Amino acid sequence: MKVLLVSPLDPRVPIQFKHLMGGESTYTKMLLRHPPQSVTFVHFTEALDLKLITYHPLYWILLYLQKARLLPPGPRAYVFRLHDNFDLVYAHAHPIKISGNYVPLIISDSSSNTLFLAYYLGLPRVICALWQFSKKIIYTLTGTIDGEVNTHLAADNFVFSEWARIKKQELGIKNTKVIYPGLWVPNLKPQQKVRRKEIKILFVGMWFERKGGRILLAAFRRLLVKKYPIHLTILGQLPPDIILDAGMPIVHKNFVSYPKLLHFYQTHDILVHVPLVIEGYGMVVPEAMAYMVAPVVTKICVLPELVQDGVSGLVVRPGSVTELAKALERLINDPQLLKRLGRGARSRFVDKFSLPVFQQKLVGIFDEVLQQ
């Protein structure tokens, strides 16, 4: 089947790191690189270049309304005319409207734009409510579909977690399915995960504050005082007030390519991903689990779904430097526990978050929609 894919992609050369789509881009690249056997995805950017689709005039109106802040910030709304035969349109994260002949539309979200406004951007509740009201009116009048408005007009919809499904229910959106996004299962060679005397800890995230970067730095400094043989790698932009001491065993990089990111998974022992309040999904967690990296995460949102405490990683209370330091100290002092959690992480990844599992469920939805 031929599917038009409308889903976010990061630019090849990032200009502003904070505007990178992160896990959403990883998801899109996964779909394009590893489509299910019966599916051919055509990304909308390629379809535009090949004139398989064109922008409908309504697209420019919605774009203007978003720039004028009459629509909330977030993924751009797209309105297309189709000039080629597509069996399906699959839109992830982006609001969408297809003009012309009917083609079944499937939509998905990692979580919710309402949560993005309130927690990612930290906007006051009144502002969020006004934007959501405005969006509902404009999208209803124009027939635009997203994960919160006109969802019933889509042939089917799904989210990335049970937590996100519950959040949709709270917004009055029912019949939402859950499909965990799948990732390629790497072939690990035994020597790739040989334990060293030095324990290597990894932090990945462009949103350093929100992902708990300050908490990790404070916990790491406590462990250094105890002379533990540890090393920290930070991948992501740091706030301007944080200056790393030259003598500390810390490597920092603002940005690395995806292949280099996979190399860091192969060479590290522990992933620390400890958001304080919100986490829409956290693609970095199952990515690291695929490489037998033991994750330490906070007990918020979707993260306890990804990591089983004491089985495939450790789950700690959000915002607690002491609890995070104790969890890391526990792993440092118990190599067998670290090894067991790494293996548990890999096993859970294969069972729940691997590409074959995802592909089977996604094709199931596609087939079900086409048979309606």
Side-chain angles (χ1 to χ4, degrees), residues 72-315:
R76 183 175 297 185
Y78 286 110
V79 187
F80 296 124
R81 285 195 178 105
L82 306 187
H83 304 292
D84 197 21
N85 293 322
F86 291 95
D87 297 296
L88 289 170
V89 177
Y90 170 38
H92 173 69
H94 288 288
I96 185 77
K97 177 178 172 65
I98 301 300
S99 176
N101 294 333
Y102 172 77
V103 176
L105 171 66
I106 295 171
I107 62 172
S108 69
D109 270 323
S110 55
S111 56
S112 161
N113 189 246
T114 296
L115 296 173
F116 172 78
L117 297 176
Y119 293 102
Y120 283 60
L121 300 185
L123 298 175
R125 184 174 298 181
V126 173
I127 299 298
C128 294
L130 288 173
W131 253 331
Q132 291 303 113
F133 179 73
S134 175
K135 181 176 79 168
K136 185 174 183 179
I137 291 176
I138 293 170
Y139 284 179
T140 299
L141 290 174
T142 60
T144 305
I145 301 170
D146 84 342
E148 297 173 345
V149 179
N150 291 330
T151 307
H152 64 284
L153 298 178
D156 213 333
N157 75 96
F158 66 91
V159 289
F160 283 178
S161 66
E162 286 292 338
W163 170 79
R165 185 183 64 79
I166 292 170
K167 291 301 175 183
K168 294 285 187 180
Q169 284 183 332
E170 292 173 358
L171 294 172
I173 301 167
K174 300 179 181 179
N175 302 320
T176 301
K177 295 181 172 67
V178 175
I179 301 181
Y180 294 112
L183 295 167
W184 179 256
V185 182
N187 293 320
L188 293 182
K189 298 178 182 179
Q191 64 268 26
Q192 287 181 320
K193 298 308 294 187
V194 172
R195 299 299 173 190
R196 300 162 298 276
K197 291 182 179 180
E198 181 184 58
I199 299 295
K200 300 188 77 171
I201 302 168
L202 180 64
F203 174 92
V204 182
M206 291 301 164
W207 300 77
F208 186 82
E209 302 272 6
R210 187 175 60 78
K211 303 284 187 180
R214 289 186 187 272
I215 302 296
L216 171 57
L217 275 180
F220 186 75
R221 289 190 172 106
R222 287 190 186 184
L223 297 176
L224 284 179
V225 172
K226 298 184 177 183
K227 305 298 182 180
Y228 284 121
I230 53 176
H231 177 279
L232 173 62
T233 300
I234 299 174
L235 305 180
Q237 206 167 25
L238 292 174
D241 65 302
I242 293 182
I243 300 174
L244 301 176
D245 298 336
M248 294 181 68
I250 299 178
V251 170
H252 168 241
K253 295 182 182 295
N254 277 333
F255 177 80
V256 297
S257 65
Y258 192 68
K260 289 183 179 179
L261 173 60
L262 300 184
H263 172 73
F264 280 105
Y265 292 142
Q266 293 173 12
T267 57
H268 284 68
D269 306 290
I270 302 169
L271 174 81
V272 175
H273 189 79
V274 287
L276 305 180
V277 178
I278 191 75
E279 181 55 275
Y281 186 75
M283 191 73 77
V284 64
V285 177
E287 279 180 338
M289 293 169 72
Y291 287 88
M292 291 200 299
V293 179
V296 179
V297 302
T298 39
K299 192 176 182 180
I300 62 166
C301 305
V302 66
L303 295 177
E305 274 184 67
L306 303 181
V307 178
Q308 300 164 299
D309 188 30
V311 177
S312 53
L314 296 179
V315 181

Side-chain angles (χ1 to χ4, degrees), residues 325-347:
K326 286 182 178 179
L328 293 174
E329 195 168 14
R330 183 181 169 194
L331 295 176
I332 294 166
N333 287 327
D334 191 342
Q336 290 305 312
L337 174 63
L338 180 57
K339 185 176 181 180
R340 178 169 61 81
L341 293 181
R343 288 179 174 175
R346 167 79 173 193
S347 176

Side-chain angles (χ1 to χ4, degrees), residues 15-35:
I15 299 173
Q16 291 180 296
F17 294 120
K18 68 179 181 179
H19 292 150
L20 292 176
M21 296 303 295
E24 309 288 10
S25 179
T26 299
Y27 178 67
T28 304
K29 290 176 181 177
M30 178 274 296
L31 291 171
L32 294 173
R33 290 172 181 167
H34 307 291

Side-chain angles (χ1 to χ4, degrees), residues 39-61:
V39 176
T40 298
F41 285 115
V42 181
H43 194 257
F44 76 93
T45 53
E46 179 186 2
L48 285 168
D49 290 341
L50 296 175
K51 309 299 183 185
L52 304 180
I53 62 174
T54 55
Y55 289 120
H56 186 280
L58 178 59
Y59 163 74
W60 303 105
I61 296 173

